[in-house]
Amino acid sequence: MRTDIAIIGAGPAGLLLSHLLAAEGIESIVVESRAREYVAARIRAGILEDSSVRLLRSVGLGGGIDARGFEHRGIYLQWPWERHHIDFVSLAGRSVWVYGQTQLQADLVAAGEAAGRQVIYEASGTALHDLDSDHPSVTFTDAAGLPQRIEAAAVAGCDGKFGPSRAAMPDEGRETWERDYPYSWLGILADVAPSTDELIYAWHPDGFALHSMRSATVSRLYLQVPSGTDIADWPDDRIWDALATRLGHGQDGWQLTPGPIAEKSVLPFRSFVQSPMRHGRLFLAGDSAHTVPPTGAKGLNLAIADVALLAPALARLVRDKDSALADAYSATALRRVWRSEYFSWWMTSMLHISGDPFDAQLQLAQLRWVTASTAGAAGLAENYAGLPIGF
Ligand code: FAD
Ligand code: DHB
């Protein structure tokens, strides 16, 4: 097969890149290792930044958000006996939207199918070739067991943290940075109306808790648990009891309403960045180049910001044989990546119990400042609601 851009990975980065390229008149083929149904069902992120929503709307992908998303002015930050609202709109002039990654994924698949764009699911043995030339290729075995090759002008590695693109970068000149955290999140999706109008981020001596949501009838909640936690040790009653304690059930009359748990899983934490995000004709975007711990909801938004830069860069490269934007891509994208790495690390460090009582006092001092000072609150608001793309 021949196309302009071979895209590896049909997650949000890959499918949105394919959509943005099509808007520039550039063809692409997406290769995905999983089945379509598997990719569609993955439960992941839930919050879109202002700049992500603006971008999606500008390319005709805002219909689902407008119909089924929920605009939030801010978040609640709390610790025992105190809950404070941080109003992003008045502090930073921007809001965020509750819109699940599963919903965005469905919108992207529907738009791709309507436009007849090609996504090849259930590919195995994906490999990248000739990245130093101007005719790179991607090979794989298709679902029928037949060997396939896609020849393209460039390859976009949108294959997440376990895909082959990150590893296809030569060791020479490659730098990586990482940080592990001694805790994870236990996440649940529950068929019950949210007990809050906007998200609650809760510091608690037993560990952090987060009350998020997906719709008027579906809640998404998380608990800090130690790394290596076995989900079997957390029956539903234990989860709801811990959430009630940490989120402050009974505090000032507030009540957490439990309900049937539809899904639960443990999500490990890691910060990771690989630089550069480009080698020859291979360009990395999204989780293939970086991961953030989930506190602050940056992962999906960073993937969107990467491809918003990458699409025009690839279009100029392929259509106009002009490599200026492609040459600048890695450095430009990494500026926002490190800003988001910082914010995610900062939110994580401020809210998760480390076991050290000195840390706990520092966290409470920081929480009091962030919620009491307009400057402190505005810093959180600006970063959470998202900086403009290209910042
Ligand atoms: P992915 O969504 O990982 O997509 C990569 C795709 O590449 C996948 O479909 C994968 O199957 C495919 N692929 C992998 N290997 C190959 C191969 N060899 N050949 C072909 N295809 C391949 N972020 C937030 O902002 N908030 C959250 O609450 C949040 N929760 C999360 C919960 C979980 C359990 C996980 C795993 C992530 C979460 N994230 C969250 C992060 C967010 O989901 C990611 O940052 C986002 O999915 C990145 O999109 P992506 O397209 O770069 O990567
Ligand atoms: C969600 C996840 C996050 O990491 C976060 O900070 C806020 C919300 C969510 O899944 O809804």
Side-chain angles (χ1 to χ4, degrees):
M1 289 171 265
R2 278 207 65 81
T3 189
D4 293 326
I5 309 293
I7 300 175
I8 309 177
L15 290 189
L16 181 58
L17 178 63
S18 164
H19 187 98
L20 298 177
L21 287 170
E24 301 254 10
I26 305 296
E27 259 185 30
S28 62
I29 299 177
V30 182
V31 182
E32 165 61 50
S33 55
R34 300 287 196 164
R36 189 173 172 277
E37 300 70 31
Y38 179 93
V39 178
R42 283 189 302 215
I43 294 161
R44 292 183 162 181
I47 301 290
L48 292 176
E49 295 177 355
D50 175 75
S51 52
S52 301
V53 173
R54 279 173 199 270
L55 174 85
L56 293 166
R57 283 193 178 132
S58 74
V59 292
L61 290 168
I65 298 169
D66 292 330
R68 292 178 297 282
F70 293 87
E71 186 171 17
H72 283 192
R73 288 186 68 93
I75 57 165
Y76 297 99
L77 267 188
Q78 75 169 47
W79 56 95
W81 317 120
E82 289 200 40
R83 179 177 292 172
H84 299 268
H85 188 248
I86 310 271
D87 191 305
F88 303 158
V89 176
S90 55
L91 290 159
R94 298 192 286 277
S95 58
V96 295
W97 287 75
V98 170
Y99 196 65
Q101 185 167 329
T102 38
Q103 295 168 292
L104 177 61
Q105 182 79 26
D107 295 347
L108 288 164
V109 168
E113 283 180 357
R117 287 193 291 274
Q118 199 176 352
V119 182
I120 301 169
Y121 289 97
E122 298 182 67
S124 55
T126 314
L128 296 78
H129 311 275
D130 301 321
L131 301 170
D132 285 310
S133 75
D134 59 6
H135 48 85
S137 61
V138 172
T139 56
F140 60 94
T141 302
D142 69 17
L146 298 172
Q148 300 285 358
R149 172 182 295 271
I150 304 173
E151 294 177 351
V155 178
C158 301
D159 44 2
K161 54 186 151 191
F162 303 118
S165 298
R166 183 186 279 187
M169 294 276 181
D171 286 339
E172 202 180 326
R174 170 168 67 169
E175 275 192 278
T176 59
W177 296 266
E178 52 192 296
R179 175 150 304 177
D180 285 314
Y181 302 81
Y183 33 76
S184 301
W185 276 3
L186 191 166
I188 63 163
L189 197 67
D191 290 321
V192 61
S195 299
T196 179
D197 57 340
E198 297 194 338
L199 273 58
I200 305 171
Y201 285 78
W203 182 98
H204 191 277
D206 292 355
F208 170 73
L210 170 61
H211 191 329
S212 181
M213 61 198 72
R214 288 292 178 273
S215 72
T217 54
V218 177
S219 298
R220 176 84 167 141
L221 299 109
Y222 298 96
L223 285 169
Q224 175 187 350
V225 292
S227 299
T229 289
D230 183 352
I231 197 85
D233 294 336
W234 284 84
D236 294 2
D237 287 351
R238 183 180 177 198
I239 293 174
W240 284 113
D241 285 349
L243 286 167
T245 304
R246 298 185 195 185
L247 289 167
H249 178 81
Q251 188 175 314
D252 295 328
W254 182 78
Q255 306 235 316
L256 176 68
T257 309
I261 295 180
E263 194 262 358
K264 57 181 169 180
S265 56
V266 174
L267 164 64
F269 271 43
R270 191 153 181 249
S271 300
F272 175 88
V273 179
Q274 174 162 312
S275 169
M277 288 169 61
R278 179 239 180 133
H279 168 76
R281 288 291 175 109
L282 169 63
F283 297 81
L284 301 184
D287 276 17
S288 69
H290 41 74
T291 47
V292 288
T295 333
K298 286 291 162 216
L300 171 60
N301 292 292
L302 261 189
I304 293 173
D306 282 353
V307 297
L309 289 176
L310 185 54
L314 291 176
R316 286 265 287 273
L317 185 70
V318 170
R319 194 181 47 218
D320 310 328
K321 311 285 177 260
D322 173 356
S323 69
L325 289 181
D327 293 344
Y329 168 68
S330 177
T332 311
L334 282 165
R335 279 208 301 275
R336 187 190 194 84
V337 168
W338 277 112
R339 186 65 238 142
S340 296
E341 289 287 347
Y342 182 89
F343 179 68
S344 307
W345 165 84
W346 179 77
M347 284 284 279
T348 300
S349 311
M350 180 170 68
L351 288 162
H352 290 73
I353 298 301
S354 73
D356 180 335
F358 189 81
D359 284 349
Q361 294 305 322
L362 294 179
Q363 291 171 327
L364 288 168
Q366 184 71 355
L367 282 164
R368 282 187 209 106
W369 176 70
V370 165
T371 51
S373 148
T374 307
L380 190 152
E382 252 190 33
N383 283 279
Y384 194 114
L387 296 154
I389 285 174
F391 171 84

